[in-house]
Amino acid sequence: METIDAFVLGVIQGLTEFLPVSSSGHIELGKAVLGTDIANKEENLLFTVVVHFATALSTIIVFRKDIIELLKGIFAFKWNEETQFASKIVLSMIPAVIVGLLFEKQLEELFEGRIILVGFMLIITGLLLFLAGRAKKTEKGVSWKDALIIGASQAIAMLPGISRSGATISTSVLLGNDRAKAARFSFLMVVPLIFGKIAKDLLDVVKGDTIIENVSTTPLIVGFFAAFIVGLLACTWMISLVRKAKLHYFSYYCFAVGIIAIIAGVVNS
């Protein structure tokens, strides 16, 4: 991978991990536009691990105060508000874990230049954002039932083109939850999953001896810092946009990119 390609893909990851436009879909589109072809499967996996770690780290920094308060509450060993919130996060993870374990190979096959699929999924993301943008504001918090439903939407967002943040925040808002609380829950619920996926992928990388010997570290470093710095800005911006009920603006973007991706996929097929 060229250094400039790593920079561009890192910026795309940092932006789209938090903005509701699908990071997986845009990474696939970015690779198609740039003509980036990483033949070495382990090298491709390692780059993915690095940029995801970068955005996970930016999430932790932005929500550091919330995470510290959660940890304090959990280690108080009481059934307090923090422990309940953490338990809801664990509950929300169950659907994605089940889907990830049972359909890992099938999901991996969908991330192989399926531009038309990405286009259709982006349109679905746009519909969710449009509906959420028109939802009424409430002060309701995330219930146990809500946590499971939001978790199901996160599992569906494992498809390329379905935005994880878009799907989970939209689902939460459509369930009647407060927008700020919806954004907080959405971003915090993915942190354990990301680190779990990173740990698994690193084990897969270690199994590939060639990657350790032949991989160039410069694109990895550039991709990491691009994703990390842009991720910090995008995460903060997204929280503000959700509070101001601006999600529907992203729906138009998803519709446009989705249609373009479908047309491009049909023309090149």
Side-chain angles (χ1 to χ4, degrees), residues 59 187 192 211 213 234:
T59 305
F187 289 136
I211 184 64
E213 298 174 359

Side-chain angles (χ1 to χ4, degrees), residues 112-264:
E112 296 177 356
R114 305 287 183 90
I115 304 301
I116 296 177
L117 173 64
V118 170
F120 278 113
M121 295 301 103
L122 279 170
I123 290 174
I124 292 175
T125 295
L127 288 172
L128 280 172
L129 294 171
F130 184 79
L131 293 173
R134 300 171 70 89
K136 296 180 179 179
K137 295 182 180 181
T138 70
E139 297 297 323
K140 177 175 172 288
V142 178
S143 67
W144 293 95
K145 179 181 177 181
D146 292 344
L148 190 57
I149 296 174
I150 296 168
S153 70
Q154 178 168 245
I156 295 172
M158 296 173 77
L159 294 170
I162 298 290
S163 165
R164 193 207 63 80
S165 62
T168 54
I169 293 175
S170 295
T171 299
S172 186
V173 169
L174 290 171
L175 288 171
N177 293 310
D178 173 75
R179 295 177 185 276
K181 293 176 181 177
R184 177 173 177 258
F185 189 81
S186 173
F187 289 136
L188 289 176
M189 70 187 282
V190 76
V191 173
L193 277 176
I194 289 178
F195 279 107
K197 183 67 166 59
I198 287 173
K200 180 184 179 301
D201 288 345
L202 280 176
L203 289 176
D204 292 337
V205 168
V206 171
K207 293 177 183 178
D209 297 333
T210 57
I211 184 64
I212 304 300
E213 298 174 359
N214 301 328
V215 68
S216 174
T217 57
T218 301
L220 295 178
I221 295 172
V222 170
F224 173 86
F225 281 105
F228 175 69
I229 295 171
V230 174
L232 285 175
L233 299 174
C235 185
T236 305
W237 185 30
M238 182 60 184
I239 295 169
S240 174
L241 290 172
V242 173
R243 287 173 176 167
K244 296 176 181 177
K246 302 294 185 180
L247 288 177
H248 63 285
Y249 290 123
F250 289 99
S251 69
Y252 307 136
Y253 172 83
C254 287
F255 291 145
V257 176
I259 292 171
I260 292 172
I262 293 171
I263 293 173

